[in-house]
Amino acid sequence: MATQQTEQAEEAGLAHHHIVAGDVRLHYVAAGPVDGPPAVLLHGFPEFWRAWERQMGPLARAGFRVIVPDLRGYNLSEKPAGVEAYALHTLQQDVAGLIRALGYERAHVVGHDWGGIIAWALAIRQPEVVRRLVILNAPHPGAARRVMRKPAQWRRSWYIFLFQLPWLPERLLDRFGQWALQGVNPAAYTDRDRELYRQAWHQPGAATAMINYYRALRLAGRGHTGSLQVRAPTLVLWGDRDVALLPELADGLERWVPGVRVVHFPHASHWLMRDEPLRVNNLIADFLAEEAGQRS
């Protein structure tokens, strides 16, 4: 499976690598000029690096060094045992470790779903490593605490409770994953995409590791009791037809993220980078380029 994925990536002009970041060995795919500003793209559940395959080429052509890891536990990255290995503070440290292991002091960070949750945590807890932050359909922890009290959000979050059970969620992962990847754009995921996702889910140990992200939610506050402020310039993109997250999770963020820019996509689902890739790509590239004045 790994060879097949590598060959397909090389055909698209991408390169596969492995690197030790802190205490975990991560697989990542890279594209773009080696001397370009680094942009780290973080996928969510139940995806892997291919979540960003429609963004990598455009961002690389815009001059960025695009780095897309499989998060710990996913696909070809290492899969440590135990729920505690997937606590948020550990996931955040993985990304900081990846940036530094690649020889950078800072990087632009783009995150979707769990990748967005990790990106928020990184910008809050280790702001020195984040140049600019882009979040796609992932709640800021302050907004999550506010909105998660609402029954309407509880109903959308039903699967989080299911994932606390032993062994059963792993058995249901194929079925749940295929259901979860449904968007509003029929072309968002092809049959070939879905087969590659199934291959990633069936990597040894992957199913339990992926579910352990949710089992470790009880540990989310560990290691951080301070401010939830984000200092990095931040862009939030939100697909309003998300079946798991209420659109109001993207509202009122100025309290924690001064100067934040929020763009709603009224006709996009949770998978907005698949539903509306052209608009998403342009917004991300323009926002990241603002720092260096690469675009007018």
Side-chain angles (χ1 to χ4, degrees):
M1 283 188 245
T3 301
Q4 182 183 52
Q5 291 184 8
T6 301
E7 290 174 350
Q8 290 167 342
E10 288 172 348
E11 289 174 4
L14 308 178
H16 281 248
H17 306 272
H18 281 87
I19 195 167
V20 175
D23 65 349
V24 69
R25 187 170 184 262
L26 298 178
H27 165 260
Y28 71 95
V29 178
V34 294
D35 59 350
V40 178
L41 279 53
L42 306 175
H43 68 82
F45 176 92
E47 300 197 277
F48 64 114
W49 70 264
R50 283 188 177 275
W52 297 106
E53 60 187 343
R54 299 185 185 181
Q55 284 67 51
M56 293 186 70
L59 289 176
R61 289 190 291 274
F64 296 98
R65 180 61 172 172
V66 184
I67 300 150
V68 189
D70 288 327
L71 298 177
R72 76 158 55 200
Y74 279 82
N75 194 38
L76 304 181
S77 284
E78 189 176 356
K79 302 164 183 65
V83 171
E84 293 212 0
Y86 300 89
L88 181 57
H89 68 278
T90 300
L91 305 175
Q92 152 228 321
Q93 289 166 0
D94 285 350
V95 181
L98 172 66
I99 292 168
R100 290 169 176 154
L102 290 170
Y104 303 112
E105 292 184 5
R106 298 189 303 156
H108 301 305
V109 180
V110 182
H112 170 254
D113 186 80
W114 262 106
I117 293 171
I118 296 167
W120 279 125
L122 185 68
I124 291 167
R125 302 178 183 187
Q126 293 179 268
E128 70 279 2
V129 302
V130 181
R131 293 173 68 168
R132 284 183 168 247
L133 179 68
V134 182
I135 301 292
L136 291 78
N137 282 63
H140 180 280
R145 291 174 189 174
R146 180 190 68 211
V147 177
M148 290 296 179
R149 301 188 186 102
K150 299 189 175 184
Q153 182 57 57
W154 295 349
R155 289 192 291 271
R156 295 187 182 214
S157 301
W158 62 270
Y159 59 92
I160 295 177
F161 303 100
L162 170 66
F163 287 173
Q164 304 309 307
L165 298 175
W167 67 263
L168 180 60
E170 285 90 333
R171 295 283 298 274
L172 297 175
L173 180 60
D174 269 20
R175 185 181 304 176
F176 181 86
Q178 293 298 332
W179 171 81
L181 292 177
Q182 296 180 67
V184 297
N185 179 359
Y189 295 95
T190 66
D191 289 344
R192 181 59 179 157
D193 291 332
R194 293 177 182 277
E195 176 56 30
L196 290 170
Y197 275 70
R198 280 192 290 268
Q199 290 178 15
W201 302 338
H202 286 276
Q203 291 287 335
T208 294
M210 292 164 63
I211 300 297
N212 278 347
Y213 276 61
Y214 293 92
R215 294 174 176 143
L217 279 171
R218 59 185 171 80
L219 308 172
R222 180 179 295 185
H224 182 79
T225 57
S227 170
L228 297 178
Q229 294 293 300
V230 173
R231 299 203 306 261
T234 301
L235 171 67
V236 173
L237 308 179
W238 201 274
D240 287 343
R241 295 179 65 179
D242 191 323
V243 299
L245 299 169
L246 290 170
E248 63 192 87
L249 282 163
D251 299 336
L253 298 180
E254 295 81 5
R255 173 180 174 184
W256 305 285
V257 194
V260 63
R261 181 185 177 196
V262 179
V263 180
H264 284 271
F265 289 66
H267 305 295
S269 73
H270 183 75
W271 318 104
L272 70 164
M273 70 277 210
R274 291 273 184 165
D275 288 337
E276 298 194 34
L278 181 60
R279 188 179 176 207
V280 167
N281 295 348
N282 289 338
L283 285 166
I284 294 175
D286 288 344
F287 178 74
L288 297 186
E290 286 176 13
E291 181 185 65
Q294 293 173 331
R295 300 184 179 200
S296 58

